[in-house]
C-alpha cells in the first residue's frame, strides 16, 4: 500500500469540529468538504460493519462530487469517519431529543460500553482502505439531576450516545484511544496510512 504524506492536502469529508481540531493538532494538511448522506444503519449490521459502511458512504459521496480534484492532484486522499456508541451490542447514534439523550446517558453511566469509529481513506493509488477502532469506557453512575444539568449545558443532540467525552466528569476508566472517543483515532490513522 502506498502511504500518504501528511503534508499533502487531503479532503476531510466531515464537518465535525472535533475531527477538524484533531487533524490540526497532528499537523495534517486538509480542507473540509462535508459528505451529504442520510445515515441509515441496516439492522443486520454489526456495530463494526455499520461504522465502516457509513464512513465508506461518506467518502464515496465526496469523491463522486470532487473526483476531478483528486485526478488533478489538488488533493491526495479523502478521509471520512463515523462514530457510534455501543451498549450491550446495541448501537446508539445521536439522540433525537433530550428525553432520548437522558435515557442514553442514564444507561451509559451504569454500564461498560464501547465507542466504535469507522475510518475510510480513499486515494487514487490505493482505492478505498477502511478499518474500525474500538475504545471501552466505564463511567461513574450519574444522578438524575446531574444528567439533566449535563443535557442543559451541552449539545447532546450532536454526539453519539449523547456524551461529549471532553465535557464530562464521570469517566472512571478508558481502555483504548481517547482520540477515538473524541471522533478520530488520529495516531492509529497516521501509523496505518500516512508517512
Amino acid at each position: 500500500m502506498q502511504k500518504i504524506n501528511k503534508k499533502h492536502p487531503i479532503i476531510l469529508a466531515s464537518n465535525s469540529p472535533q475531527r477538524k481540531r484533531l487533524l490540526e493538532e497532528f499537523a495534517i494538511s486538509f480542507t473540509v468538504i462535508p459528505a451529504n448522506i442520510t445515515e441509515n444503519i441496516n439492522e443486520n449490521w454489526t456495530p463494526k460493519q455499520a461504522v465502516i459502511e457509513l464512513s465508506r458512504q461518506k467518502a464515496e459521496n465526496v469523491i463522486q462530487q470532487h473526483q476531478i480534484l483528486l485526478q488533478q492532484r489538488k488533493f491526495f486522499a479523502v478521509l471520512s469517519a463515523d462514530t457510534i456508541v455501543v451498549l450491550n451490542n446495541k448501537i446508539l447514534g445521536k439522540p433525537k431529543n433530550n428525553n432520548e439523550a437522558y435515557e442514553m446517558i442514564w444507561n451509559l453511566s451504569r454500564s461498560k460500553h464501547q465507542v466504535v469509529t469507522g475510518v475510510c481513506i480513499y486515494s487514487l493509488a490505493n482505492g478505498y482502505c477502511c478499518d474500525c477502532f474500538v475504545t471501552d469506557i466505564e463511567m461513574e453512575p450519574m444522578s438524575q439531576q446531574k444528567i439533566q444539568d449535563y443535557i442543559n449545558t451541552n449539545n447532546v443532540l450532536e454526539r453519539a450516545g449523547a456524551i461529549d467525552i471532553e465535557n464530562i466528569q464521570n469517566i472512571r476508566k478508558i481502555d483504548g484511544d481517547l482520540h477515538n472517543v473524541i471522533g478520530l483515532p488520529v495516531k492509529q490513522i497516521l501509523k496505518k496510512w500516512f508517512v
Side-chain angles (χ1 to χ4, degrees), residues 52-116:
I52 287 174
E53 181 57 34
L54 290 176
S55 64
R56 186 182 179 95
Q57 287 177 20
K58 290 175 182 180
E60 286 174 346
N61 176 263
V62 170
I63 290 158
Q64 285 171 0
Q65 299 172 57
H66 302 283
Q67 181 75 30
I68 192 74
L69 297 176
L70 292 162
Q71 290 169 345
Q72 294 173 348
R73 288 294 197 200
K74 295 195 173 165
F75 296 98
F76 286 77
V78 173
L79 168 65
S80 60
D82 192 77
T83 302
I84 57 172
V85 175
V86 179
L87 177 63
N88 300 325
N89 289 321
K90 181 183 176 196
I91 296 171
L92 304 181
K94 295 174 185 174
K96 295 180 183 69
N97 53 50
N98 285 351
N99 289 339
E100 191 172 68
Y102 180 94
E103 184 180 340
M104 285 181 180
I105 296 168
W106 175 270
N107 291 328
L108 290 171
S109 79
R110 283 156 174 77
S111 299
K112 190 181 284 189
H113 57 279
Q114 293 77 43
V115 175
V116 184

Side-chain angles (χ1 to χ4, degrees), residues 149-161:
D149 291 344
Y150 182 79
I151 289 170
N152 293 339
T153 56
N154 289 275
N155 193 0
V156 294
L157 302 184
E158 290 302 313
R159 302 297 288 177

Side-chain angles (χ1 to χ4, degrees), residues 11-195:
I11 294 171
L12 174 62
S14 172
N15 220 3
S16 161
Q18 292 82 11
R19 291 185 181 128
K20 289 190 277 190
R21 180 171 46 82
L22 287 170
L23 289 182
E24 287 165 354
E25 283 177 19
F26 284 85
I28 296 173
S29 176
F30 71 96
T31 295
V32 171
I33 303 179
N36 183 18
I37 69 163
T38 302
E39 296 184 24
N40 292 322
I41 295 177
N42 184 313
E43 62 184 28
N44 296 320
W45 289 343
T46 66
K48 290 180 179 181
Q49 287 173 316
V51 291
I52 287 174
E53 181 57 34
L54 290 176
S55 64
R56 186 182 179 95
Q57 287 177 20
K58 290 175 182 180
E60 286 174 346
N61 176 263
V62 170
I63 290 158
Q64 285 171 0
Q65 299 172 57
H66 302 283
Q67 181 75 30
I68 192 74
L69 297 176
L70 292 162
Q71 290 169 345
Q72 294 173 348
R73 288 294 197 200
K74 295 195 173 165
F75 296 98
F76 286 77
V78 173
L79 168 65
S80 60
D82 192 77
T83 302
I84 57 172
V85 175
V86 179
L87 177 63
N88 300 325
N89 289 321
K90 181 183 176 196
I91 296 171
L92 304 181
K94 295 174 185 174
K96 295 180 183 69
N97 53 50
N98 285 351
N99 289 339
E100 191 172 68
Y102 180 94
E103 184 180 340
M104 285 181 180
I105 296 168
W106 175 270
N107 291 328
L108 290 171
S109 79
R110 283 156 174 77
S111 299
K112 190 181 284 189
H113 57 279
Q114 293 77 43
V115 175
V116 184
T117 299
V119 177
C120 188
I121 300 250
Y122 173 87
S123 66
L124 291 174
N126 301 316
Y128 291 94
C129 299
C130 304
D131 204 349
C132 74
F133 305 89
V134 180
T135 303
D136 293 317
I137 306 282
E138 195 174 337
M139 296 172 61
E140 301 284 349
M142 292 173 70
S143 68
Q144 292 180 344
Q145 187 59 53
K146 201 156 192 178
I147 293 172
Q148 200 56 59
D149 291 344
Y150 182 79
I151 289 170
N152 293 339
T153 56
N154 289 275
N155 193 0
V156 294
L157 302 184
E158 290 302 313
R159 302 297 288 177
I163 290 180
D164 179 350
I165 196 77
E166 296 176 291
N167 290 326
I168 197 155
Q169 307 299 314
N170 288 63
I171 302 301
R172 181 181 289 161
K173 185 179 177 190
I174 296 177
D175 187 10
D177 187 349
L178 174 62
H179 293 136
N180 185 52
V181 182
I182 296 170
L184 200 62
V186 186
K187 288 179 185 174
Q188 294 172 75
I189 292 169
L190 286 171
K191 183 177 177 182
K192 189 169 185 125
W193 290 307
F194 285 82
V195 291

